[in-house]
Amino acid sequence: MPLPRSLFLSIMLIMAGLSWVAPTYAQARLGEAFQLIAMEGAVKVRESLGEVFRPVKAAELLGPGSALQTEARGKAMLFLSQGVVLKLGEESLLEFGQQSLNASNPSDFLVTLRNGTLQFAVDLPDHRPGALIYTLTSRLTIPRGTGFLVSVEEDRLFCIEGGSISIANQISGRHLSVGPRQVAISEKNGMLKLSQVQSGEMDQLLVKTRVTLAVPPIQSLRPPSPAVTPITLDDQVRQPWPVLPPVIQSPNLWIHEASGSNGIIGVRPTPRR
């Protein structure tokens, strides 16, 4: 039975260790770049094809054309402002696509897991077609959901939560929808099948991808906007006054009480000079 959306979002926040915020720009278009927000062990980055891998920096932005590699006991957590958190496990290689397959929305993200283990949490707006994650033989479409993708000799997609996660085998063209507690197995010979998650499998994958949040996303560092408070009667009479001629500061600015045959009369005071 699918989890309520509120519980699903809680899973995402626990996994990410952060709260989603609106997109912004810093060094590169964050709609197209992932920010490295946590890492352990040896993690390297290649900025473009043909370059050599170098040690990655905390909070670095990884845009289209770059690649991230973890070595033994190396792990990394990545954040995308549109609503995606990825955790790359040990001895894994993740590449960031040059362009989107959706021509009408070029900011859709596209990554390829060349080898290793990837944990994902996706919560994209309803108008988005879904995150695209590739392997050498499979294509995943994830509008909303959490789970694991393991690509070694075969591809194994583990679904934790999400009713619209789909996987297609690029060799045979077969595709399946994967529900909670199910695992899809995609093989290089074109086979694609579903099975149930075995006891302990999720725990092992969590250990392989667990990493502690170390750097808050750039978006969360922006100062909050001032709170808007309603205007009260007290605010309306509080100084500074509007620009008006100075007047005598009496309890009643416009009425002087005086005795006369007709009783109280009102007199406009002479402005103070």
Side-chain angles (χ1 to χ4, degrees):
M1 179 178 179
L3 295 174
R5 178 171 172 75
S6 60
L7 181 56
F8 164 69
L9 291 175
S10 298
I11 294 174
M12 286 193 64
L13 294 177
I14 292 172
M15 173 179 166
L18 52 91
S19 298
W20 300 115
V21 289
T24 185
Y25 295 84
Q27 302 177 14
R29 289 189 58 184
L30 287 180
E32 299 175 354
F34 283 84
Q35 183 188 3
L36 182 72
I37 57 176
M39 61 179 176
E40 293 180 8
V43 182
K44 297 182 178 180
V45 64
R46 182 187 66 201
E47 296 183 10
S48 62
L49 190 63
E51 294 189 9
V52 297
F53 281 92
R54 61 166 175 79
V56 72
K57 302 174 184 177
E60 187 166 348
L61 294 179
L62 307 176
S66 61
L68 192 68
Q69 184 178 58
T70 58
E71 299 182 359
R73 290 179 289 185
K75 304 173 187 177
M77 183 192 298
L78 301 160
F79 169 75
L80 182 71
S81 62
Q82 298 171 13
V84 181
V85 174
L86 300 177
K87 290 184 178 181
L88 192 62
E90 304 175 15
E91 298 180 305
S92 303
L93 175 60
L94 185 68
E95 296 179 348
F96 302 90
Q98 294 283 0
Q99 60 184 1
S100 167
L101 297 184
N102 180 21
S104 63
N105 192 345
S107 64
D108 287 339
F109 85 90
L110 174 67
V111 298
T112 299
L113 181 64
R114 291 290 180 182
N115 184 69
T117 305
L118 183 70
Q119 184 181 3
F120 59 84
V122 179
D123 187 24
L124 295 174
D126 293 336
H127 67 275
R128 296 287 298 278
L132 299 175
I133 302 178
Y134 279 73
T135 70
L136 296 179
T137 59
S138 303
R139 183 184 72 249
L140 281 65
T141 304
I142 313 169
R144 185 174 291 115
T146 60
F148 298 91
L149 174 62
V150 181
S151 182
V152 186
E153 295 180 356
E154 60 185 13
D155 298 331
R156 297 170 65 86
L157 168 63
F158 296 81
C159 178
I160 298 175
E161 170 60 19
S164 55
I165 299 178
S166 65
I167 181 171
N169 186 292
Q170 298 188 81
I171 298 172
S172 64
R174 298 180 180 179
H175 59 87
L176 291 171
S177 294
V178 186
R181 305 297 301 178
Q182 289 184 327
V183 54
I185 303 172
S186 179
E187 301 179 356
K188 296 178 180 178
N189 60 9
M191 293 295 294
L192 183 62
K193 58 184 178 181
L194 279 178
S195 65
Q196 296 298 315
V197 177
Q198 301 299 313
S199 176
E201 282 185 304
M202 291 288 192
D203 293 335
Q204 294 175 9
L205 292 172
L206 283 169
V207 171
K208 293 186 67 173
T209 57
R210 182 178 295 126
V211 57
T212 304
L213 178 66
V215 179
I218 290 173
Q219 291 87 342
S220 68
L221 298 179
R222 293 179 300 164
S225 301
V228 178
T229 57
I231 297 176
T232 65
L233 179 61
D234 189 46
D235 295 322
Q236 296 178 30
V237 299
R238 185 180 299 137
Q239 294 189 22
W241 303 98
V243 179
L244 294 173
V247 297
I248 297 174
Q249 301 297 319
S250 62
N252 190 321
L253 298 179
W254 301 108
I255 302 297
H256 274 193
E257 295 184 359
S259 299
S261 59
N262 295 328
I264 306 271
I265 60 174
V267 179
R268 180 181 295 271
T270 301
R272 180 187 300 169
R273 297 188 182 279

